[in-house]
C-alpha cells in the first residue's frame, strides 16, 4: 500500500466485520430460523476507535494518495443485529467473513460513506 500512496493512488481500506459466536451458515443448515441464527451486535467487543486508524494516517502522510477507512457494519449488522440473511442474500460466509454478494449489495452504504468523505471514485 505505501507504494500506491506514494504514486498518488487513493486507497480504500475496508474495516473487518465483527466475529460471530456461531457460523451462520451452519446455523441455518441445522434447520434453525433466521431469527434464531441472528446475533446481537456486541459493540463492547469492538474497539471504540479503529485500531488501524493511526497506521492508515501514517501511510497517507508521505505520498499524495488518500486513505479512507470504509466501514460496512451498518449494512452487515443493521439495527444492532447481525442476521445470517438480509433479503435473500447470505451476509456472512462463516463466523468472520462477509460474502461477496453481501459486499456487492452494500454498495449504497459504501457510496454514502465515500461521498460524505469527499473521496473521489
Amino acid at each position: 500500500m505505501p507504494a500506491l500512496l506514494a504514486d498518488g493512488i487513493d486507497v480504500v481500506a475496508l474495516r473487518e466485520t465483527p466475529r460471530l459466536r456461531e457460523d451462520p451458515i451452519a446455523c441455518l443448515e441445522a434447520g434453525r430460523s433466521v431469527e434464531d441464527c441472528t446475533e446481537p451486535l456486541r459493540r463492547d467487543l469492538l474497539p471504540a476507535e479503529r485500531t488501524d486508524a493511526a497506521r492508515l494516517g501514517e501511510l497517507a502522510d508521505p505520498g499524495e494518495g488518500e486513505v479512507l477507512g470504509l466501514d460496512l457494519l451498518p449494512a452487515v449488522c443493521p439495527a444492532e443485529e447481525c442476521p445470517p440473511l438480509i433479503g435473500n442474500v447470505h451476509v456472512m460466509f462463516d463466523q468472520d467473513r462477509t460474502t461477496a454478494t453481501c459486499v456487492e449489495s452494500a454498495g449504497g452504504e459504501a457510496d454514502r460513506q465515500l461521498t460524505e468523505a469527499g473521496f473521489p471514485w
Side-chain angles (χ1 to χ4, degrees), residues 80-96:
E80 301 295 303
E81 292 189 324
C82 304
L85 293 169
I86 296 178
N88 63 348
V89 174
H90 283 275
V91 177
M92 303 293 284
F93 177 75
D94 57 17
Q95 288 173 271
D96 61 358

Side-chain angles (χ1 to χ4, degrees), residues 15 42-53 71 73:
R15 183 178 193 174
R42 297 280 315 268
R43 288 210 178 263
D44 58 316
L45 299 178
L46 297 173
E49 292 185 24
R50 289 184 61 140
T51 55
D52 58 355
D71 186 357
L73 188 61

Side-chain angles (χ1 to χ4, degrees), residues 1 17 20 25-26 38 44-48 50 52 56 58 65 72 77-78 83-85 88 100 110 121:
M1 184 162 63
T17 56
L20 304 176
I25 302 297
T38 296
D44 58 316
L45 299 178
L46 297 173
R50 289 184 61 140
D52 58 355
L56 291 174
E58 290 169 12
L72 296 181
C77 296
L85 293 169
N88 63 348
W121 75 303

Side-chain angles (χ1 to χ4, degrees), residues 102-113:
C102 176
V103 173
E104 288 173 20
S105 298
E109 179 61 24
D111 180 56
R112 182 190 67 76
Q113 289 182 35

Side-chain angles (χ1 to χ4, degrees), residues 17-28:
T17 56
R19 297 194 193 293
L20 304 176
R21 289 176 291 142
E22 184 177 10
D23 181 332
I25 302 297
C27 182
L28 291 172

